[in-house]
Amino acid sequence: SFSMATSQSILLYGLGSKTTMLTSFGQHLSSEGDVVSLNGYDPKIDLNRFLEYMDLLFCDGSGPTQINPHSSTAKNNIAVRDSNKGLAKKAASIAKMFASKRSRPLFVLIHNIDGVGLRNRFAQDAIATLTTNSRKDGSPMIRIVASVDNVNSAMVLWSPQVVHKFDWAWKKVHTYRPYLEEVKGLPNTESSKKVKKNKGNQKPGAATAILKVLAYLAPRHTEVLQGLAALQLSNSSNSVSYNILRDDCMKKMLTSSDTQLRNIIKELSDHNMMGSEKDDEGIEQTFIPSTIPLQDILDWKLNQPTF
């Protein structure tokens, strides 16, 4: 809260979903000002429409656009709405209007600022512009709190000017929570279509969601999981001893210690993508649940979108 009052934006990063944490933080901030949230992981998100609603809710519709989404005027403005180049200008106008009319700050919570719905430089510039153009008595009236899962892809989106506008205060938070909400809106891939045909004990679509979690895992975790899938397929077995998996990971230089591998296994287990148990002889066995097609895990990178 103090950081945001001094012009900094808050960015949460780390392993695991941060949706619940960010929502809880928003509830805390509601005692200091108004709070709105933006789901960057939603591919259907329309930042242009979001800015218009901000104008209607907080500026009495006196900002740069006053479009009824059901009117013929709105339909005639499709070309304008599709052009991202005016986003930053519109955001600046609304931010200045907000600062002139409001006495309480507005906290904008952004779940996955690197999500597919906001993955372009125009959207990022517009969001950064909201805070830099809403200053009042030296402090921004619109303050940004966001989460990021793929730090590398997000950095590609931010020019030096946008980084300066955000002035991020980076906060490392490892929640190790599954990405349940984030994967719901992701588009189906060929692998997910195959999952629907799989007749396991999980609910329909559960394996689909689990596979989509791969998009949010660290590359090393995915490589370990793919290594286990390859071992299970090559041995035509339902499990692989922990020692064999450890040796394979060491050989491929995926892990350098037993502790590192066990931490990876723990997180994959938390996502229901991997399990371990001891057999009748007391030997620890690792396995991928039968409801997840092993070949889909091995082929996953081929279907990955590029950033």
Side-chain angles (χ1 to χ4, degrees):
S1 177
F2 173 77
S3 296
M4 288 182 285
T6 56
S7 302
Q8 283 191 299
S9 301
I10 304 296
L11 187 66
L12 308 181
Y13 72 100
L15 299 175
S17 172
K18 291 160 280 292
T19 302
T20 301
M21 175 178 288
L22 197 55
T23 300
S24 298
F25 188 38
Q27 292 173 348
H28 170 74
L29 293 173
S30 63
S31 62
E32 302 179 27
D34 297 306
V35 179
V36 296
S37 63
L38 198 58
N39 296 331
Y41 53 78
D42 184 355
K44 298 180 180 178
I45 195 170
D46 185 339
L47 188 59
N48 213 327
R49 179 65 60 82
F50 176 76
L51 292 175
E52 291 175 8
Y53 284 162
M54 277 188 61
D55 177 27
L56 292 172
L57 288 172
F58 302 107
C59 303
D60 302 322
S62 55
T65 56
Q66 302 181 50
I67 299 175
N68 182 340
H70 302 292
S71 69
S72 58
T73 303
K75 296 177 182 178
N76 293 334
N77 277 276
I78 291 178
V80 176
R81 291 176 56 77
D82 286 345
S83 174
N84 287 317
K85 295 181 179 180
L87 278 177
K89 184 177 180 181
K90 179 184 294 186
S93 178
I94 292 174
K96 292 175 182 178
M97 186 65 67
F98 180 91
S100 67
K101 287 178 171 286
R102 310 289 292 192
S103 58
R104 280 164 53 91
L106 172 65
F107 298 97
V108 181
L109 308 183
I110 306 176
H111 300 282
N112 294 86
I113 195 170
D114 58 321
V116 62
L118 300 173
R119 197 176 295 157
N120 65 79
R121 61 186 181 87
F122 300 108
Q124 298 291 324
D125 188 23
I127 294 170
T129 298
L130 284 174
T131 184
T132 55
N133 283 269
S134 63
R135 293 184 180 278
K136 186 175 186 178
D137 299 328
S139 298
M141 291 297 289
I142 299 178
R143 304 168 186 179
I144 308 296
V145 190
S147 66
V148 61
D149 283 306
N150 192 327
V151 175
N152 293 329
S153 67
M155 292 299 289
V156 172
L157 295 172
W158 299 327
S159 65
Q161 293 81 3
V162 170
V163 171
H164 178 71
K165 287 181 180 180
F166 276 127
D167 191 16
W168 293 117
W170 294 72
K171 305 294 182 181
K172 181 188 292 186
V173 288
H174 294 314
T175 67
Y176 301 106
R177 297 177 64 89
Y179 296 93
L180 299 178
E181 290 299 322
E182 292 89 338
V183 300
K184 287 181 180 179
L186 292 179
N188 287 332
T189 61
E190 289 301 315
S191 61
S192 67
K193 293 177 183 177
K194 294 177 184 177
V195 173
K196 294 180 180 179
K197 298 178 182 179
N198 188 59
K199 299 184 182 299
N201 295 324
Q202 291 185 340
K203 296 180 180 179
T208 303
I210 289 173
L211 281 173
K212 289 177 180 177
V213 171
L214 288 172
Y216 293 91
L217 289 177
R220 188 61 49 85
H221 291 58
T222 302
E223 290 173 330
V224 169
L225 190 67
Q226 289 178 322
L228 177 57
L231 289 171
Q232 284 189 226
L233 284 175
S234 64
N235 297 331
S236 299
S237 62
N238 294 325
S239 64
V240 174
S241 73
Y242 172 81
N243 289 340
I244 291 178
L245 176 63
R246 180 194 60 201
D247 293 345
D248 183 70
C249 290
M250 292 281 193
K251 182 179 179 180
K252 295 177 180 177
M253 301 183 70
L254 298 179
T255 57
S256 58
S257 67
D258 183 78
T259 300
Q260 185 181 13
L261 177 58
R262 290 197 177 278
N263 286 337
I264 291 175
I265 291 176
K266 181 182 182 303
E267 184 176 353
L268 290 172
S269 297
D270 290 341
H271 290 301
N272 298 318
M273 304 191 76
M274 186 174 174
S276 65
E277 60 184 9
K278 291 186 177 181
D279 60 17
D280 295 337
E281 299 178 359
I283 299 175
E284 184 177 1
Q285 300 289 329
T286 58
F287 58 89
I288 295 171
S290 60
T291 50
I292 305 177
L294 299 179
Q295 192 59 51
D296 281 8
I297 293 177
L298 292 174
D299 294 341
W300 180 80
K301 278 190 176 180
L302 298 177
N303 297 319
Q304 257 298 91
T306 56
F307 300 113

